[in-house]
Amino acid sequence: MAATMRAAVCVRAGGPEVLEVRELPVPQVREGWSLVRVRGAGLNRSELRTRQGHSPSVTFPRVLGIECVGTVAVSTDPRLPEGTTVAAVMGEMGREFDGGYAEYALLPNPLLMPLTTTLPWDVLAALPETYLTAQGSLDALGVVPGGTGRLLIRGGTSSVGMAAASIAAGHGLETAATTRRPDKADALTAAGVDHVLLDDGEPLAKGLRGIWPEGPDLVLDLVGADTLLESLRLVRRGGTVCMSGSLSGWLIPGFEPIAMIPSGTRLTAFHSNDIKGDAGASVLRRVVREVETGTYRPNVDRVFALDDIVAAHRFMEEDRAAGKLVMLPQPAYR
């Protein structure tokens, strides 16, 4: 193993240009942590916000990346022999300690989820954060294989929205999804969405009632603060709304639950940190199996090399993706 590695370092808060590809020492293994050779890393908007300076607990310089997949290079855990394929997500990756934007990452053993799969690295890298969040959100909504119901996904062309559409279609649900860009409608249809709704800033109720007069049974709201109250009014009485995204922020000023949640309607939430490590391993293995069999259809919008990390963040910041963006740190695995 070489003594050094290449990594994308966020040197300070700012625009995409603050990400610099540098040569760094390969991290030294210590008790309770194992060294992972990173084969791929999904890109996430939380990394964009950290780069912009909206994560006050993060100090710079920092190697970002809240998720990665790869192989164990040096292990301190007998359950994770060298060469094991693993995934890791959340648990303060890329925030408290360096994350997946590198050729190697030193990660806590409890965070590592061993996998056996034939999926290529770019597809596998698209799954952990996105599909664990989507699967956990749908579980929170009570979605099960072979179940029935009408599901509205707000923020449908986000990576989690595309994953949720893929899972819901695999389970046989009737789905509708919103997008702010008409040119992304075909991507939603390809992911299995039955009804595409343009979210142009006008009330969504008119278009939705034309599809489902009584409203959807379930709403997965990935937009967040700006749309949650409307989602609570859109869902049928007695239905369930799950907030799992923060594309418009986390806080709802003046939120009054008794006045703003219709009687009998349920409001829940999901955070992907709840299924990191062992808690999410079985869920991720189930996702991998469904992708391998073609039941779930992951949408990888674009694959970037490590050298293109600035362009990747600019692409993400301009909201040009319809699905997941992936970075492969080593050109041999493109």
Side-chain angles (χ1 to χ4, degrees), residues 87-293:
V89 63
M90 300 293 290
E92 293 304 309
M93 278 182 67
R95 297 170 58 85
E96 184 179 317
F97 54 90
D98 285 345
Y101 287 17
E103 293 180 320
Y104 289 90
L106 185 65
L107 302 174
N109 290 332
L111 211 58
L112 300 180
M113 297 177 279
L115 300 167
T116 300
T117 180
T118 58
L119 295 176
W121 292 115
D122 58 336
V123 175
L124 187 62
L127 302 182
E129 169 66 12
T130 295
Y131 268 80
L132 284 176
T133 302
Q135 186 68 65
S137 301
L138 294 177
D139 288 346
L141 285 168
V143 173
V144 296
T148 59
R150 298 161 297 185
L151 170 68
L152 169 65
I153 303 170
R154 306 203 66 171
T157 50
S158 66
S159 59
V160 175
M162 299 287 282
S166 173
I167 295 171
H171 290 347
L173 268 70
E174 184 180 359
T175 60
T178 68
T179 179
R180 292 180 296 175
R181 295 180 51 170
D183 59 321
K184 294 184 177 182
D186 288 346
L188 287 171
T189 301
V193 171
D194 299 295
H195 312 285
V196 177
L197 300 172
L198 183 62
D199 189 354
D200 56 5
E202 296 297 319
L204 199 61
K206 182 177 180 180
L208 189 62
R209 299 304 183 203
I211 301 168
W212 298 325
E214 297 180 359
D217 304 296
L218 309 166
V219 178
L220 173 55
D221 197 323
L222 301 170
V223 179
D226 285 356
T227 57
L228 183 64
L229 297 182
E230 184 186 34
S231 293
L232 288 167
R233 296 190 296 268
L234 290 173
V235 74
R236 69 164 177 80
R237 185 63 62 92
T240 304
V241 176
C242 178
M243 178 176 167
S244 299
S246 61
L247 297 175
S248 65
W250 288 109
L251 302 179
I252 305 174
F255 180 53
E256 301 178 31
I258 293 177
M260 296 177 175
I261 303 176
S263 298
T265 297
R266 291 177 288 274
L267 172 62
T268 187
F270 178 78
H271 193 290
S272 58
N273 203 46
D274 295 341
I275 49 175
K276 64 179 184 292
D278 287 345
S282 62
V283 179
L284 185 57
R285 292 186 194 111
R286 171 165 40 120
V287 167
V288 167
R289 288 196 302 270
E290 298 288 7
V291 173
E292 288 175 334
T293 61

Side-chain angles (χ1 to χ4, degrees), residues 12-27:
R12 62 185 180 279
E17 69 279 355
V18 302
L19 294 169
E20 297 181 3
V21 178
R22 294 181 172 181
E23 197 82 12
L24 299 179
V26 172

